[in-house]
Amino acid sequence: MSGTGSRAEARKTTQTDAAPRRRGHPGRAGRIARWIVLAVGALVFLFPFYYMVIGSLQTEPDPTPAGAFPNPANITGQNYVQINERISLLSGLVNSGIFTGGVILCTVVFGVLAGYALSVLYWRGRGVTFAIVLLVQIVPFQLLMIPLYVLIARDYGLADTHLGMILPFAINSAAVVIFRQYFLQVPRALFDAARIDGASELRVLWSVALPLVRPALLTVVLLTFIGPWNEFLWPFLITKEPSMQPLAVSLANYITTVAASASNPFGAILAGAVVLAIPAVALFIIFQRQFQSTDIGSGVKG
């Protein structure tokens, strides 16, 4: 009897082990199909960037679909030389970097402080203040551009300065909302424990809250980077000196004034676009692995 029972248990175990294997085949096929779809989607989205790079290297423009696979004899770096002779790509990149870096720094500092105050601290009018922060997001920047220009250029005298470019973007309401939502996920027990140990609110923010919301910091930095890096209208209004203009403004001036005189205007414009796009693409590639969630509640036992 014991032998019969052992064989029955063995058959039952074999059937149980075989079931996941049988169920695994559709899952594997689904994963393969998903990877194929993702690969096709990636190629579709990457093709415009690839075509921009290829177009910037062509001696003669080829707008046909065959231009995506050009003759190696038609490849050159002369377009980059031509556009750099008319506008200083390095100077434009430096101005764009200063403008973008200043905006990111102000956005992170003010966003962290405001988000912490709106989520952790208790004070009268906190809900109304947060509602105002949300309402600010629906006000288009173009509506405020004329009074901002009068204030910064005439009253403050900050035309043709990096500070004049940075000030209108120093506070980002979206960053405040992001930090507030992350701080709300941090267990209150961590803040209470730090206060019992005698830590001030700034110490609690620096030592307890910020290490737990690093994904929010990176998210805000990457999302904020795109705006000022590609911003054209405000720097164009506030700067008249070519030496102070970010690369996006310099490229726009080049397109409207001297691009037609280049031997290959299409290639020169694409060359400038590639230079403008490379830092943003590189930043996202470098930090793509950092977009991960964190176990905020891991600092609390029980």
Side-chain angles (χ1 to χ4, degrees):
M1 294 291 292
S2 60
T4 304
S6 299
R7 287 194 297 271
E9 291 179 0
R11 286 196 299 271
K12 197 174 297 183
T13 303
T14 303
Q15 293 173 356
T16 304
D17 293 340
R21 289 197 296 269
R22 286 195 300 268
R23 290 195 299 269
H25 289 292
R28 189 178 300 111
R31 286 194 298 270
I32 293 174
R34 183 165 61 249
W35 278 109
I36 292 175
V37 172
L38 291 175
V40 172
L43 291 175
V44 171
F45 281 98
L46 287 175
F47 182 78
F49 183 76
Y50 164 79
Y51 190 80
M52 179 176 65
V53 174
I54 292 298
S56 69
L57 296 173
Q58 292 183 6
T59 305
E60 297 293 335
D62 185 1
T64 65
F69 309 97
N71 186 350
N74 195 32
I75 299 297
T76 181
Q78 189 62 28
N79 294 324
Y80 291 89
V81 175
Q82 287 186 356
I83 192 172
N84 191 56
E85 289 175 350
R86 297 303 184 99
I87 62 173
S88 177
L89 295 178
L90 180 59
S91 176
L93 285 173
V94 170
N95 289 329
S96 295
I98 295 174
F99 175 36
T100 305
V103 172
I104 291 175
L105 179 62
C106 294
T107 297
V108 170
V109 171
F110 292 120
V112 165
L113 294 176
Y116 182 82
L118 290 171
S119 59
V120 179
L121 303 181
Y122 294 95
W123 43 280
R124 182 176 298 178
R126 187 178 71 168
V128 175
T129 304
F130 181 63
I132 294 175
V133 171
L134 293 178
L135 288 174
V136 168
Q137 296 189 60
I138 67 174
V139 179
F141 179 74
Q142 290 77 7
L143 187 66
L144 306 174
M145 193 169 297
I146 293 178
L148 280 174
Y149 178 81
V150 173
L151 180 68
I152 292 177
R154 187 185 66 183
D155 297 343
Y156 294 165
L158 294 177
D160 286 317
T161 63
H162 293 114
L163 185 59
M165 287 189 285
I166 293 171
L167 278 180
F169 304 93
I171 300 179
N172 190 330
S173 58
V176 174
V177 174
I178 291 174
F179 282 120
R180 175 184 179 273
Q181 296 307 115
Y182 266 84
F183 284 134
L184 286 175
Q185 300 177 41
V186 180
R188 292 295 172 270
L190 295 177
F191 300 130
D192 296 338
R195 295 189 185 103
I196 291 173
D197 290 339
S200 63
E201 288 299 332
L202 286 179
R203 183 67 178 178
V204 173
L205 172 61
W206 181 262
S207 301
V208 178
L210 281 182
L212 294 174
V213 295
R214 287 176 182 173
L217 288 171
L218 184 61
T219 300
V220 169
V221 168
L222 293 181
L223 293 180
T224 305
F225 175 86
I226 296 300
W229 184 260
N230 293 324
E231 179 64 28
F232 163 75
L233 189 54
W234 176 253
F236 175 75
L237 290 176
I238 205 68
T239 59
K240 303 303 179 186
E241 290 292 333
S243 61
M244 292 296 301
Q245 292 176 342
L247 185 56
V249 179
S250 298
L251 288 176
N253 290 334
Y254 174 81
I255 292 172
T256 56
T257 56
V258 296
S261 62
S263 59
N264 183 3
F266 180 74
I269 293 171
L270 289 182
V274 170
V275 174
L276 182 63
I278 283 178
V281 174
L283 187 70
F284 275 88
I285 291 176
I286 293 172
F287 292 103
Q288 63 177 340
R289 294 183 179 273
Q290 303 300 323
F291 280 105
Q292 57 186 2
S293 62
T294 180
D295 189 3
I296 292 179
S298 61
V300 179
K301 287 186 177 180

